Amino acid sequence: LAKTTQPISMDSYEGQEVNITCSHNNIATNDYITWYQQFPSQGPRFIIQGYKTKVTNEVASLFIPADRKSSTLSLPRVSLSDTAVYYCLVGGTGRRALTFGSGTRLQVQP
Amino acid sequence: DGGITQSPKYLFRKEGQNVTLSCEQNLNHDAMYWYRQDPGQGLRLIYYSQIVNDFQKGDIAEGYSVSREKKESFPLTVTSAQKNPTAFYLCASSIMAGVGNNEQFFGPGTRLTVL
C-alpha cells in the first residue's frame, strides 16, 4: 500500500486559503487520491478525490502533479467551521481497503 | 433516508466482558469496514468485508471478531482478549472495497469505555 505523509498540524485565519500537501512517493498506477475531513467524535466525511491534474468541487480543489507523487488539498477562504482533521488516502487498486494515516489537524482562528 | 447507523453511541463494560457493537447500512453497499480510533490518532482498520459471509483482517484484528451474515449488517465483537479496548469505533461502508473511486461512508461511531 502506498504510504502517505502529511503535516501533523496547520494554523490559519478565517478568510485565508489553506493548502495541505500530502506526499505519496509509492503511489501505484491505478491508485486514486482521496481526502477526508473529520470533526471530533464524528466519522470522517469525504471531501474530494482525484487521479491526476486538478479536480474541483463546491468545497475544495485537489491539485495533482504529473508524477502523482504528491497532492495538495486547497480550501478556499476557510472559516472557523473548517477546523478539523484532514486525511489523505491513496489506494483503490485491487481489493484491499484504504488506510488512514494520522492526518493534518487544521486550526482556523478568527 | 439512506445511511449507516451504529449503536449504541456510548458503551460501558467491565474488564473481561465481551461486547458487540452494531453497524447497519441501507445504502445497498457491498463492502463494510470497522476502524478503531484512539485519542489524537488516525483510524486503524480492524476488519473489512467485501461480500456477505466473507471478511478479511485489517491491521489490528487481534482481540476482535466480526460476522457478515446479511449485506446490511456487520457487527463487531470486542473480546476479552483485546488488551486495551477503550476507544472510538467507527463503521463504514462503500459500494465495493478497494476499487477506483470508492468513497467510504461512515457511521456516527461508538465510544467504548472499559472500566
Side-chain angles (χ1 to χ4, degrees):
Chain A
L1 288 175
K3 183 176 169 0
T4 60
T5 303
Q6 340 173 198
I8 294 173
S9 63
M10 294 182 70
D11 292 309
S12 183
Y13 292 94
E14 280 192 293
Q16 289 189 333
E17 178 184 77
V18 171
N19 296 309
I20 306 174
T21 297
C22 178
S23 297
H24 28 80
N25 292 320
N26 297 323
I27 189 169
T29 302
N30 295 331
D31 283 347
Y32 280 74
I33 300 155
T34 310
W35 286 80
Y36 284 81
Q37 175 193 55
Q38 186 182 26
F39 297 112
S41 298
Q42 295 185 25
R45 185 174 68 101
F46 174 91
I47 301 175
I48 197 166
Q49 183 181 73
Y51 183 80
K52 61 181 179 180
T53 61
K54 177 183 173 183
V55 178
T56 298
N57 62 22
E58 63 276 8
V59 298
S61 294
L62 178 59
F63 298 92
I64 305 168
D67 66 5
R68 304 197 332 119
K69 292 185 184 301
S70 67
S71 59
T72 299
L73 173 72
S74 181
L75 303 173
R77 297 180 298 281
V78 294
S79 64
L80 296 176
S81 63
D82 292 315
T83 293
V85 178
Y86 293 82
Y87 295 96
C88 164
L89 284 77
V90 171
T93 303
R95 301 174 70 80
R96 184 72 167 87
L98 297 176
T99 299
F100 284 75
S102 298
T104 297
R105 192 169 300 273
L106 173 65
Q107 180 70 48
V108 179
Q109 303 190 24
Chain B
D1 276 332
I4 179 164
T5 59
Q6 293 184 243
S7 60
K9 189 172 176 65
Y10 298 96
L11 189 55
F12 297 88
R13 278 296 180 269
K14 291 183 179 178
E15 195 171 342
Q17 287 183 333
N18 290 357
V19 60
T20 297
L21 282 58
S22 167
C23 178
E24 305 278 332
Q25 55 99 359
N26 61 3
L27 300 167
N28 200 33
H29 286 170
D30 289 311
M32 297 186 75
Y33 314 78
W34 273 106
Y35 294 90
R36 169 184 172 136
Q37 187 171 37
D38 293 289
Q41 305 296 313
L43 282 70
R44 291 186 289 167
L45 182 66
I46 305 172
Y47 268 99
Y48 67 105
S49 168
Q50 300 169 85
I51 196 169
V52 173
N53 293 323
D54 185 52
F55 46 83
Q56 286 78 42
K57 292 182 179 180
D59 301 317
I60 55 165
E62 186 176 347
Y64 300 97
S65 66
V66 293
S67 63
R68 186 86 187 277
E69 296 177 2
K70 298 186 300 181
K71 188 175 184 178
E72 302 80 19
S73 179
F74 190 41
L76 172 75
T77 297
V78 184
T79 74
S80 57
Q82 168 50 232
K83 296 287 186 283
N84 185 19
T86 294
F88 187 47
Y89 289 88
L90 286 159
C91 179
S93 70
S94 65
I95 294 174
M96 290 183 70
V99 175
N101 53 343
N102 185 32
E103 178 184 348
Q104 293 187 32
F105 293 80
F106 283 82
T110 292
R111 190 167 298 281
L112 172 65
T113 302
V114 175
L115 306 171

